[in-house]
Amino acid sequence: MSGTGRGGFPGGRGLALFLICAGYVLAVMAAHVELLYDELTYVVGGATALRNFATLTFDPQFWSFEFHPPFMMYFYGGAFATYVLANVLAGGGAVGSMADLAVSAAQLLKSDAAVFAFRLPSIAAALVTLFVTWRFGERVLGSRRAGLCAALLLVLLPPFAGMGAVAYLEIGMVATQAVAAYLFMTALIDGSWRRYFLSAVFVGFSAGTKLFSGSIGFVIAFYMAFLAWWYVRDNGRNAALLWLRGHPLALAWFPISPLVLYAVWPWLWTDPTLFLKNLAVQFTIVGHGFYLGTAELGPDYYFVYLAVCAPIAFLAAAGWGALATHRERPREFWFFALWILFTFGIITLSKGKHGGYRHIMPAFVPLAVMGGYGVDRLLTWARDTARPVAQALSVFAVTVGAAWIVYANVSVFPHQKDYFNEFVGGPAGAMEDFIVADSGVGQREAIEYVDSVAPEGATVWVWGTKPNAFMYSRRVNVRRSLADGVVFTARNKEGMAQNESIYPLEGFGNGDLTFRFPYFDETSQEMDFSLLAESGATHVVVHRLFTYPGMFPGRGQSELLREIEARYKPVRTFSVLGVPTAWVYDLRTADGVAAKRMSAGADGEGDDNG
């Protein structure tokens, strides 16, 4: 036990109050951040999976809607399905056929309340992670104050809070890894076979969220080997065998975890080798990269993102805490170190370096735990030292660090997901070298603006994602706007198209506008300005993500976007955190190429920049 002890420090009630406050803040964020890219893919994928279970449909083609495993998607789809059922029943309706529910789902999906509803599992996953982080400090490191400091550091880490308020798979990775790790470490303390067993189950759940998240199982295996070596060093050659005999179920995850993965992913049921094929794809696919400093994204990619996406005070606390943990709790330190190294190492070996900090988020937990322990030890030393100057400096350092982290969050609220620290000049300073606000922030305002000014029956070109455009347009005709027949994703097009066939597209939008999505139009191998003119388009919407190099291999779209920028001045520019995120161009305001095909009385907005 640490000298800080338990007496007098907030216990169960304090933890409950902390989680209530954290949940409230995350809920406010979830209610105020617009729909982001990929969210509907996971939500509709989860709803599709639940429908497949309900109809006993296990044909692989109905389960190939997404290349990631579906464990976390079940929760997103379940939350949305619950929201739909509650609205149907509250309106006095009856639960009829799947087709009837699909009509209700399509109509209800286009609401902010639905978005908040399907984000609730992420908030729950974040709260579970915070609870486990607190318990790591209290139970594993022996200090309740360390647990509180660790949980505070984690919830005030902007990327963690940001991802905890949206329906992304990464928060599920963090929660399942944290639970698996905590159960394992406390099983070592208690010798509890139930905890060993549950730890193995959660390793399977973690792999069932994203395949490489199963790396927590390798952390446990290597740590077991490390402990065996430690016992041999301290107690002789036979000690390791004796120790393993006392903890036989510590290795239970080897047979159990793959079985759990297999059980939660029906796509594998008919052909288990699909797992290996999918894993090979994820490790060899080349991502476009969310760090623009080099053409070939090197091994520093994720380390750079950690350095610029966390408040400097958090990094300082984690560094100091690592030193303190190594000095005072060396065995626990090596578990946390292995956790961090495997998180970075597994994903760094893949070619698809992209997503910024998203893929290293599980490392936030051990960093926060060690940071909390470091703060705890510093405050303990300040209390025990007889030097007033040292006491004052220690308290001052902790106070300044806490204020710094709080300010970092307030300055970007509720867009914590797009935080960048002072090393790169904040979000506005980072936009030249990093992709900022990449996930669709700003597209809503751009689409709603076009809805308000486009003439009847107009065609709008959108360099953005289809689900977000359809979600926020009240005038779009979805059926006319689908060149490839798929609403929610182009990643596994055939699998999603098979499932989308049951959804009434008119429910998502049956208006007068036609949207064209050139990025997803696989038939357009070569694009130039004449195609834009021939389509009779009146407006172009461009989201920031689609302006970055590498997004348009071999389709001539980069050149077309540059020509649009050269010919037209945006009539609206939408910004988040000082970063321009979306632009709207009115093609009737300059050289009149499109105006020949439109009525002379069409509405226009001039050159006002918002």
Side-chain angles (χ1 to χ4, degrees), residues 48-58 62-63 98 499 502:
T48 297
L50 295 178
R51 185 210 71 196
N52 289 344
F53 279 124
T55 58
L56 300 180
T57 301
F58 300 106
F62 288 94
W63 287 90
M98 285 291 175
N499 287 288
I502 71 160

Side-chain angles (χ1 to χ4, degrees), residues 164-181:
V166 297
Y168 272 31
L169 302 182
E170 285 73 17
I171 195 65
M173 288 170 46
V174 179
T176 52
Q177 282 204 24
V179 173

Side-chain angles (χ1 to χ4, degrees), residues 480-502:
R480 288 209 310 260
S481 301
L482 291 179
D484 60 358
V486 181
V487 176
F488 295 104
T489 183
R491 293 190 289 199
N492 281 21
K493 190 176 76 172
E494 293 182 1
M496 185 58 89
Q498 184 72 38
N499 287 288
E500 285 185 13
S501 63
I502 71 160

